[in-house]
Amino acid sequence: MGDRFVVVPVDTGKTSGKEGARSGSTGAYPAPDTGGSSSSVPGTVFEPAVHILEYNREPNKYGDGVPKENSPFINSAENDKNNYDGTNMALFEEEMDRHPMVSSLLDKLANYTNLSQGAQEHEEADEEEGTKKKTVKSPQMGTFMGVYLPCLQNILGVILFLRLTWIVGTAGILESLAIVGLCCSCTMLTAISMSAIATNGVVPAGGSYYMISRSLGPEFGGAVGLCFYLGTTFAGAMYILGTIEILLTYIVPQAAIFTAERKEDQLNALLNNMRIYGTICLSLMAVVVFVGVKYVNKLALVFLACVILSIISIYAGVIKSGFDPPDFPVCMLGNRTLQNLQFDKCLKTEIINNNTVSTQLWRLFCDGPELSSTCNEYFVNNNLTLIQGIPGLASGVISENMWSVYGPLGMLVENKRLPSVGGIDPAKDIYLPYVVNDISTFFTLLVGIYFPSVTGIMAGSNRSGDLKDAQKSIPIGTILAIATTSFIYVSGVILFGACIEGVLLRDKFGDSVKGNLVIGTLSWPSPWVIVIGSFFSCCGAGLQSLTGAPRLLQAIARDGIVPFLQVFGHGKANGEPTWALLLTAGICEIGILIASLDAVAPILSMFFLMCYMFVNLACAVQTLLRTPNWRPRFKYYHWTLSFLGMSLCLSIMFISSWYYAIIAMGIAGCIYKYIEYRGAEKEWGDGIRGLSLNAARYALIRLEEAPPHTKNWRPQLLVLLNLDSDLGVKHPRLLSLTTQLKAGKGLTIVGNVLQGTYLSHEAEAKKAEQNIKSMMATERTKGFCHVVVSSNLRDGISHLIQSAGLGGMKHNTVLVGWPGTWKQSEDPQSWRNFIEIVRETTAAHQAMLVAKNVDSFPTCQDRLGEGTIDVWWVVHDGGMLMLLPFLLRQHKVWGMCKMRIFTVAQMDDNSIQMKKDLQMFLYHLRLDAEVEVVEMHDNDISAFTYEKTLVMEQRSQMLKQMHLSRTEREREAQLIHDKNTTAHTTMNNKEEAGPDRVHMTWTKDKLSTERNRNREPNANVAVRDLFNMKPEWESLNQSNVRRMHTAVKLNEVVVNKSQGAHLVLLNMPGPPRNRGGDENYMEFLEVLLEGLNRVLMVRGGGREVITIYS
C-alpha cells in the first residue's frame, strides 16, 4: 500500500499530563496501557482504550506518491474502531493494536471505489463549485460503451479518410495489406500485453503511463510517459491539420488566404494556409478545453456517430458501385492525369456556331486562345481521354491496382494502359496542370504515415476508473475494437483497390475529380457525407487529444519523478491542468507550423511505437520474472507474444524513419538518465527492480563458483566509520579516500557498530544509516551502508568483518582510520578493538588499510599538484603496495603525482642488483615509478631506543594497574609505600617501585618527567659502552628493544626520504601472537609513523593481487 498508518491509543478517561502527552504522540512505540496511579483513583471509571488507525500519507517515503490513488483497505475519510471480543480474541490483542480485524478489512474492500482521474472529476467540480461535492456514484459503464466505442473512435480517424486511398494506390493492394497487417499485428500484440497488465490488479486512470511506470519503474515510466504525452500532443496537431485540410481543400477552398498564381507555388500556399488556419483552430480548441471538458464529453457521441456514419456510407457506396458506379470522369492527356480544376470540358477544341474554338484546357497548354498558337509538344501529340474514376466492383480494376507505383517528388501520375507519344523528359512538364507526386514515395514512408491510424488502443484503459468491471471490459473491448478496425482497414484496402481507378487512388487531393475527396467519390448517397463526417471526426479527435494530453502531463508532474515538471501539476481550483494545457498548446503549435500531415504523422508514430514497445516489455519482464504479485485475470498472454510485439514495434520505428527513431530514443534516453540522477526516488515494485534482483542473484551464484583471478582482483572495501554523539560521520575524508581509491568500481560497504540492543536502538540505527548515506552521496561514494547494533563494539565489528557482503560479492579489504587519540583515551578498549580488527582481518585472509591523519587527506574536489606517492616496500605482501598507488592515480585528485618505490637492503644484500631487479619487476608490471634502495646497517641500539622502550613498558605497567579494582589499587598502593620506605637498592626493589610512580592519567608532561628522571647526565656513555648501561635497562624485554630499534631506525629513514611526499604507503607489521604485548604494539606503530603527515599502512591478505602476465 502507498499509505502509512500509525496506531495511536486514545484514552477516554482522565489521564495525567505525562500520559496525555504520550497518548497524543505518534512515535514508533505505542504508549502503555493507562494504569498504576491513575487506576487507583476512587470513584473514577475508565473505559477501555480505543485504538484508532490514523491516516498518515507520506507519498515520497512510503508509496508511489500519487495523491489520487486511494488504498482499498483503509478509508482515510473515517476513523473506524477495532471492536473485537476481548475474550475470543484475547490471544491477538497485541496484533490488533497494529492491524485491523479481517471483518473490518473486508468491509473496506467491499466499499472501495477507485475514482477516475479523468474528465469526470473536473466536470463534477465545475458543476459543484462553491458547494459540497455530492457522493460519487459507483461506475456503471460496460464493455461496449466504456471500452469498445471509445477505442473505435480513437482508432478510426484522419488517415482513413484522407490518406488510405492514396496509400493503396501508391503501394498497391498487396503491399498495402502488408502495411496494414504489420501495424495491426503490432497493436493486437500490444493489446494482449496491455490486457494482462490492466487485469493484474486495479489500474487507476492514467492508462499506459500508469501501467509502464508501475511495471518498469519511475525511470522507464517517466521517459515513456513523456514520450506518450508528446505523441498525444502531436496527434492533436495531426488531427487539426486534417481538419484544416478538409476545410480548405474540400469544403470552402475560396477561404484560402494565400493563393498561388503558378502551380509551383501551390504547395507553399497550401502550407501557409494550413499554418494560419491551424493556429486559429488550435486556439479555439484550447479555449473550449479550458472553459470545460464537459462540452468535449457531451460532443463525444456526436463525433463517434460521424465516424460510424461515414464508415457505413463507404460500404454502401462500394455495394452500389457493383451495379451502378457513380459518375466521376477523369480527364487523361495521353497517359497523364490532368487536374480538373480550371476547365469544364475534356476537349482541346469545340464547335460553337459552326466555328471551331479553343477550350479552357487549350489555354492551359498553349500561349494563346488562337488555334494557331504555339502549344506544348506533348499536348499536340496526344489525345484526350475520359475514363471513369470509379469503375466499380465488377470492372476488374483490382488486377491493375495490385502492384506498387512508387516515385520521386514531382513524378507524373500516369495510366500505363493508355497510349502516350513523346514526353521523354516529363520533368519540364510538372508545372503544367498534371497530377504529380507532392512527396517522394517509398514503402517505409507509407508505414510511418499509416501507423497513426491504428493508435488509440489505450482509450479503454484510460477509462478504467469509469468501468463497472475493468478487468473484464478492458481486454474484451480493446481486442474487439482492434479486430473490428483491422477488418475495416483490410476490407477498405481490398475494396478501394477493386472499385477505384489507380490514377484516382494516387491523386492525393482529388484534383482530377474537381477537388472532391477521393474516398467521398465512392460513398453513398453523397460525397458530402464523408466530407462532413471526417471533418467533425477530426475536430473531435483533436479536442480529445488536447483534453487527454494535459492530464497525462499533470499525472506525471504529480508523481514527482521529473522535478522540473512539478509546476505543471497545478491548475485551476477544480484541478483543471491550466499550465499543462498551455504547454500542450505550445508543443501542438510546433506540429502545426510543420503544416504537412505527411511530415507530422511519422513523428507521432515514433512516440506511440515507443510507448507500445515498453508495454510489451513490461508484460514480458513480469511474466519471465514470475513475481508473486503477477496474477492477471486475462490468461491468453505469453512472454513470446510480448517479445514479438516489442520486436515489431522496434522494427516499425526503424522501418518508417530511422532518424526519427534515433531522435525519439535519444529523447527517451535523456529523460531516463535525468530521472535516474535528479528525479525523486520511488519504489513501485516495478519489474526492472525484480529483473535487477534476478540478474544480481545469477551473477552472485556465478561469482561464488570460483575465487577471482589475480588479473580481476581489486580492493573490495569494508570501510569502518566512527560516528559522533549526534550520529554524524566523524571522519568524512575516509569516504573521500574510498571514492578516490575505487572510482565507482567494485564493492564498497560502509559499516558502523552501535552499542546496545537492536530493540532499544532501532531509531538510532536508522538515523545513523541515513547520515552515512547522506555523507556517501556528498563524497560521491558508491556502495552500500550497513549499521549493526551489538552488545559490544568488538563483537559488532567482528560480525561485520565476517558477514558483510553476499556470496561472491564480499569485501576483501578493510579500511579504518588510525586511532590517533589512543594514548589519551581513558578506555583501553578503543585501541584493543583496533588490534582485534587487525587480527581478525588476518585470520579472514583479508587485506587491511590504515589511514593516519585521515582528516588531512584531500577531498574529491581537490587537485594535488606535482608531488610523489612514496611506497616503502619492506616485506612482500602480495603486491598491494604496488597496486594501490596505481589505482589512486586513476583519480583526478592524484593524477599529477608520481610514484616512488623504496625498498630496504640489509648488510648482506647487493643493493645495486636489487635496484635492477626491482626496475625490471616494475617494467613487467607495466608500472611507471622511480626506484630507490635504502641501506639499513646493523647499528648499535641507541639510548633513545632504550628510553622509548622503558617508557613503553612503564606505560604498559600503568595500564595493567588501571584494570585493578579500587580495593586492590588501595592495597597495592599501601604495599608500594611500605616497600619504598625500606630503602632497597636492588633491581627488584626498583621494579616494584615502578607502580609508585604510576599516574592514572598519562600526559606528555609526565612522560618527559619520567624520561628526565631516568636519563643520566652523560647518556652517550651508554652508546659507547654497552656494559655501562643503566641498571633499569638491563631488565627490559630484549624483544621489545629490538622491535623498538627497528621502528626508530625505519622511521628515521622514511622521514628523511618522504617527509614532503603527498602520501606514504608502507607495510604494516602484524600484532604479537601473545595478547599480553598489545599495548606495546600500538607504541611500535606510533613510533614508526612519527613525523609523517599522510600515511596509509597496508597489510596484505595473503594472496597475490598483481601479476606480470596478460
Side-chain angles (χ1 to χ4, degrees):
M1 292 193 301
D3 308 314
R4 184 189 182 195
F5 301 96
V6 182
V7 179
V8 181
V10 178
D11 195 345
T12 56
K14 295 180 181 180
T15 56
S16 65
K18 183 178 178 181
E19 289 167 342
R22 186 184 300 165
S23 64
S25 66
T26 56
Y29 310 104
D33 294 335
T34 53
S37 60
S38 59
S39 62
S40 63
V41 179
T44 305
V45 180
F46 288 95
E47 297 179 7
V50 180
H51 301 285
I52 299 175
L53 282 172
E54 257 192 5
Y55 185 75
N56 182 11
R57 184 181 290 278
E58 298 180 57
N60 291 333
K61 187 175 179 183
Y62 288 99
D64 52 23
V66 185
K68 298 280 184 184
E69 189 179 332
N70 298 322
S71 165
F73 302 113
I74 305 297
N75 193 337
S76 61
E78 58 184 31
N79 293 329
D80 294 323
K81 299 179 180 181
N82 283 330
N83 296 321
Y84 56 90
D85 191 328
T87 304
N88 294 338
M89 295 295 171
L91 184 60
F92 296 95
E93 283 179 2
E94 295 295 328
E95 291 297 314
M96 289 180 183
D97 286 345
R98 298 184 297 275
H99 305 292
M101 290 181 65
V102 174
S103 57
S104 174
L105 171 67
L106 295 177
D107 183 53
K108 298 300 180 299
L109 283 171
N111 296 327
Y112 172 61
T113 40
N114 179 21
L115 296 181
S116 167
Q117 293 178 17
Q120 183 180 351
E121 287 179 341
H122 307 295
E123 184 178 334
E124 288 173 355
D126 276 340
E127 292 174 353
E128 300 163 13
E129 200 166 9
T131 62
K132 189 179 179 181
K133 287 191 74 173
K134 61 186 177 184
T135 305
V136 181
K137 296 179 181 178
S138 59
Q140 294 296 326
M141 296 183 72
T143 303
F144 186 75
M145 289 296 294
V147 180
Y148 180 75
L149 289 182
C151 285
L152 210 64
Q153 181 184 2
N154 278 266
I155 295 172
L156 299 172
V158 60
I159 300 297
L160 170 64
F161 299 122
L162 297 185
R163 292 293 182 269
L164 188 58
T165 53
W166 173 71
I167 290 173
V168 173
T170 305
I173 294 175
L174 293 179
E175 291 188 27
S176 297
L177 288 174
I179 293 172
V180 172
L182 189 68
C183 296
C184 290
S185 300
C186 175
T187 53
M188 180 62 82
L189 292 171
T190 303
I192 291 172
S193 299
M194 185 195 71
S195 298
I197 297 174
T199 58
N200 186 49
V202 178
V203 178
S208 58
Y209 163 68
Y210 184 92
M211 290 188 290
I212 294 171
S213 61
R214 270 55 176 182
S215 296
L216 293 180
E219 293 88 1
F220 277 110
V224 180
L226 284 176
C227 284
F228 190 53
Y229 162 74
L230 291 174
T232 308
T233 304
F234 275 103
M238 184 187 73
Y239 291 129
I240 292 173
L241 290 174
T243 303
I244 302 304
E245 183 177 313
I246 295 169
L247 180 71
L248 295 181
T249 309
Y250 308 115
I251 299 179
V252 279
Q254 59 273 21
I257 298 173
F258 296 93
T259 56
E261 298 295 331
R262 300 178 303 169
K263 184 184 176 185
E264 52 264 37
D265 298 328
Q266 285 180 357
L267 181 60
N268 289 331
L270 175 63
L271 294 180
N272 288 330
N273 285 320
M274 299 275 278
R275 291 183 180 107
I276 290 178
Y277 278 99
T279 303
I280 295 171
C281 183
L282 172 63
S283 303
L284 291 175
M285 287 185 175
V287 168
V288 170
V289 173
F290 178 77
V291 168
V293 233
K294 56 185 176 183
Y295 303 112
V296 180
N297 292 335
K298 289 176 181 176
L299 290 172
L301 284 177
V302 177
F303 299 142
L304 178 59
C306 291
V307 173
I308 295 174
L309 192 62
S310 301
I311 300 292
I312 293 173
S313 71
I314 292 171
Y315 282 108
V318 168
I319 295 170
K320 181 177 177 293
S321 71
F323 56 87
D324 184 15
D327 184 25
F328 283 97
V330 177
C331 186
M332 308 290 296
L333 176 62
N335 64 356
R336 299 177 180 179
T337 310
L338 294 176
Q339 290 183 338
N340 192 359
L341 298 174
Q342 297 172 303
F343 61 90
D344 296 326
K345 299 177 182 177
C346 187
L347 298 170
K348 294 182 180 180
T349 59
E350 60 180 341
I351 299 174
I352 300 177
N353 298 328
N354 293 324
N355 293 321
T356 302
V357 295
S358 59
T359 60
Q360 292 173 319
L361 185 58
W362 178 281
R363 297 182 182 92
L364 296 175
F365 285 89
C366 302
D367 55 9
E370 298 83 9
L371 296 178
S372 58
S373 302
T374 304
C375 296
N376 177 269
E377 182 183 358
Y378 190 84
F379 179 75
V380 174
N381 294 334
N382 288 276
N383 296 322
L384 291 168
T385 310
L386 271 178
I387 63 172
Q388 276 300 325
I390 313 291
L393 270 177
S395 63
V397 74
I398 187 171
S399 59
E400 300 170 14
N401 292 329
M402 280 288 179
W403 313 109
S404 61
V405 187
Y406 299 119
L409 171 68
M411 187 187 81
L412 300 173
V413 175
E414 299 174 336
N415 186 337
K416 298 299 183 182
R417 291 183 295 109
L418 297 178
S420 175
V421 178
I424 300 173
D425 183 18
K428 60 184 179 182
D429 295 336
I430 60 174
Y431 297 121
L432 293 171
Y434 295 120
V435 177
V436 297
N437 284 355
D438 63 332
I439 56 173
S440 298
T441 54
F442 41 89
F443 178 80
T444 57
L445 172 75
L446 298 185
V447 173
I449 293 174
Y450 172 76
F451 189 81
S453 66
V454 296
T455 60
I457 62 173
M458 301 290 184
S461 63
N462 289 345
R463 298 164 183 258
S464 60
D466 303 324
L467 301 174
K468 187 188 303 181
D469 186 357
Q471 298 194 0
K472 176 184 177 183
S473 298
I474 289 176
I476 296 174
T478 305
I479 292 173
L480 279 180
I482 293 174
T484 304
T485 52
S486 299
F487 171 78
I488 292 172
Y489 285 129
V490 170
S491 62
V493 166
I494 297 171
L495 295 176
F496 294 159
C499 296
I500 305 176
E501 179 62 45
V503 291
L504 182 55
L505 286 173
R506 295 195 295 280
D507 183 4
K508 184 186 289 185
F509 300 107
D511 293 334
S512 61
V513 285
K514 295 187 178 297
N516 277 300
L517 182 61
V518 175
I519 197 172
T521 60
L522 181 61
S523 65
W524 180 87
S526 167
W528 285 102
V529 175
I530 293 288
V531 172
I532 300 300
S534 60
F535 176 79
F536 282 111
S537 170
C538 291
C539 272
L543 280 171
Q544 289 187 346
S545 295
L546 288 179
T547 303
R551 281 163 179 75
L552 179 59
L553 181 63
Q554 187 181 45
I556 297 172
R558 285 182 172 178
D559 262 352
I561 58 175
V562 185
F564 70 83
L565 289 181
Q566 288 183 355
V567 64
F568 299 107
H570 308 295
K572 292 197 295 185
N574 63 348
E576 198 74 31
T578 309
W579 294 108
L581 177 62
L582 288 176
L583 180 65
T584 302
I587 298 173
C588 199
E589 178 65 19
I590 296 173
I592 287 171
L593 292 177
I594 295 174
S596 171
L597 186 69
D598 302 319
V600 173
I603 296 176
L604 66 100
S605 293
M606 292 303 115
F607 293 122
F608 278 120
L609 279 164
M610 186 168 293
C611 177
Y612 296 166
M613 180 176 72
F614 281 101
V615 169
N616 284 297
L617 176 63
C619 180
V621 166
Q622 297 277 31
T623 306
L624 287 174
L625 289 178
R626 296 174 182 169
T627 51
N629 192 52
W630 180 246
R631 303 184 299 274
R633 290 190 177 277
F634 180 77
K635 300 298 182 184
Y636 306 101
Y637 68 94
H638 196 267
W639 66 268
T640 53
L641 295 177
S642 299
F643 266 115
L644 180 60
M646 185 179 68
S647 306
L648 268 180
C649 291
L650 191 62
S651 303
I652 295 173
M653 285 176 69
F654 282 93
I655 285 173
S656 56
S657 177
W658 63 268
Y659 45 90
Y660 277 154
I662 292 174
I663 292 172
M665 294 176 78
I667 292 172
C670 291
I671 297 169
Y672 178 94
K673 296 306 289 183
Y674 176 81
I675 295 173
E676 186 179 33
Y677 285 112
R678 297 293 304 276
E681 293 184 3
K682 301 285 182 181
E683 175 51 61
W684 286 332
D686 51 86
I688 291 297
R689 186 175 179 84
L691 190 63
S692 302
L693 288 171
N694 267 19
R697 180 186 63 84
Y698 175 76
L700 287 171
I701 291 172
R702 289 292 304 273
L703 280 175
E704 207 169 19
E705 292 176 359
H709 192 273
T710 302
K711 290 185 288 186
N712 296 326
W713 194 96
R714 65 166 58 245
Q716 318 285 6
L717 292 180
L718 169 62
V719 185
L720 297 178
L721 285 182
N722 284 334
L723 302 182
D724 55 26
S725 56
D726 296 328
L727 300 180
V729 178
K730 264 189 181 179
H731 305 292
R733 297 291 177 87
L734 206 58
L735 294 176
S736 303
L737 176 61
T738 304
T739 303
Q740 295 156 24
L741 190 60
K742 302 289 293 178
K745 305 296 190 298
L747 174 70
T748 300
I749 302 173
V750 181
N752 176 256
V753 178
L754 298 180
Q755 195 162 350
T757 60
Y758 185 72
L759 291 178
S760 58
H761 290 77
E762 178 191 2
E764 287 89 338
K766 289 180 179 177
K767 182 182 177 183
E769 189 170 342
Q770 286 299 113
N771 292 345
I772 293 174
K773 285 181 178 178
S774 174
M775 188 57 67
M776 289 173 68
T778 304
E779 298 294 338
R780 298 179 181 176
T781 304
K782 296 181 180 178
F784 309 98
C785 175
H786 197 175
V787 176
V788 172
V789 181
S790 178
S791 57
N792 60 73
L793 295 179
R794 179 174 165 181
D795 288 348
I797 294 172
S798 177
H799 295 158
L800 274 178
I801 293 174
Q802 294 177 60
S803 60
L806 181 65
M809 283 294 283
K810 291 183 70 68
H811 62 278
N812 54 28
T813 306
V814 177
L815 172 61
V816 297
W818 170 254
T821 59
W822 70 275
K823 283 189 176 182
Q824 287 76 34
S825 175
E826 295 183 3
D827 182 14
Q829 198 59 40
S830 59
W831 54 263
R832 284 181 177 160
N833 286 339
F834 172 80
I835 297 174
E836 288 305 314
I837 293 173
V838 180
R839 285 197 173 100
E840 289 185 357
T841 53
T842 304
H845 302 290
Q846 295 173 5
M848 185 172 181
L849 308 177
V850 180
K852 182 198 174 189
N853 293 338
V854 70
D855 291 330
S856 68
F857 276 65
T859 66
C860 293
Q861 285 73 39
D862 294 337
R863 299 292 180 271
L864 296 178
E866 292 187 359
T868 61
I869 300 176
D870 288 358
V871 177
W872 285 85
W873 193 19
V874 181
V875 295
H876 180 59
D877 59 352
M880 278 279 287
L881 283 168
M882 310 291 183
L883 186 62
L884 292 176
F886 171 77
L887 294 176
L888 281 174
R889 290 176 63 202
Q890 305 304 305
H891 198 277
K892 47 195 173 184
V893 172
W894 304 90
M896 299 289 291
C897 298
K898 294 182 179 179
M899 180 176 168
R900 294 194 303 179
I901 296 184
F902 298 89
T903 187
V904 178
Q906 301 297 321
M907 282 290 294
D908 300 334
D909 296 328
N910 185 341
S911 58
I912 298 174
Q913 187 62 37
M914 278 182 67
K915 185 172 182 178
K916 288 181 180 179
D917 293 342
L918 183 54
Q919 287 174 336
M920 182 58 66
F921 181 57
L922 292 177
Y923 174 78
H924 287 306
L925 289 176
R926 290 90 64 202
L927 295 175
D928 296 325
E930 297 179 12
V931 175
E932 186 171 342
V933 177
V934 178
E935 295 182 352
M936 287 184 63
H937 301 294
D938 289 337
N939 295 331
D940 293 334
I941 300 174
S942 65
F944 178 70
T945 302
Y946 279 109
E947 289 295 330
K948 279 273 188 184
T949 310
L950 179 62
V951 171
M952 178 186 72
E953 293 199 354
Q954 287 175 345
R955 186 177 187 279
S956 174
Q957 185 68 23
M958 175 200 71
L959 292 173
K960 290 177 181 177
Q961 182 70 18
M962 288 175 64
H963 288 131
L964 299 175
S965 66
R966 180 176 300 178
T967 306
E968 290 173 335
R969 277 205 307 270
E970 292 174 356
R971 188 163 50 247
E972 185 75 11
Q974 184 63 40
L975 179 62
I976 292 169
H977 177 72
D978 293 341
K979 288 181 179 179
N980 285 340
T981 56
T982 59
H984 291 297
T985 56
T986 62
M987 192 64 196
N988 292 333
N989 289 345
K990 287 184 179 180
E991 284 182 0
E992 291 175 359
D996 187 43
R997 290 183 278 109
V998 169
H999 300 278
M1000 298 313 294
T1001 303
W1002 193 267
T1003 63
K1004 284 187 176 180
D1005 295 337
K1006 293 177 181 178
L1007 174 63
S1008 61
T1009 303
E1010 290 294 334
R1011 267 192 202 165
N1012 296 333
R1013 183 186 299 177
N1014 294 323
R1015 186 174 291 161
E1016 291 185 359
N1018 190 10
N1020 291 329
V1021 176
V1023 180
R1024 294 190 300 269
D1025 188 1
L1026 293 178
F1027 295 101
N1028 295 327
M1029 289 192 303
K1030 289 184 177 181
E1032 58 264 33
W1033 292 356
E1034 296 176 4
S1035 63
L1036 294 176
N1037 186 319
Q1038 292 305 306
S1039 175
N1040 288 342
V1041 173
R1042 290 196 306 273
R1043 285 185 170 86
M1044 183 64 75
H1045 175 66
T1046 304
V1048 170
K1049 295 298 292 181
L1050 188 57
N1051 175 259
E1052 287 177 1
V1053 175
V1054 174
V1055 170
N1056 183 39
K1057 296 284 186 181
S1058 302
Q1059 196 165 20
H1062 285 319
L1063 180 64
V1064 176
L1065 288 89
L1066 54 83
N1067 289 110
M1068 179 180 177
R1073 292 186 178 89
N1074 181 13
R1075 296 179 186 271
D1078 284 355
E1079 60 274 10
N1080 299 338
Y1081 173 69
M1082 295 296 292
E1083 190 69 45
F1084 295 144
L1085 293 182
E1086 189 71 50
V1087 171
L1088 182 62
L1089 302 177
E1090 192 173 356
L1092 298 172
N1093 184 21
R1094 295 188 194 127
V1095 184
L1096 191 63
M1097 289 191 292
V1098 180
R1099 183 163 175 79
R1103 62 162 294 170
E1104 293 292 331
V1105 301
I1106 194 167
T1107 178
I1108 64 175
Y1109 299 106
S1110 62

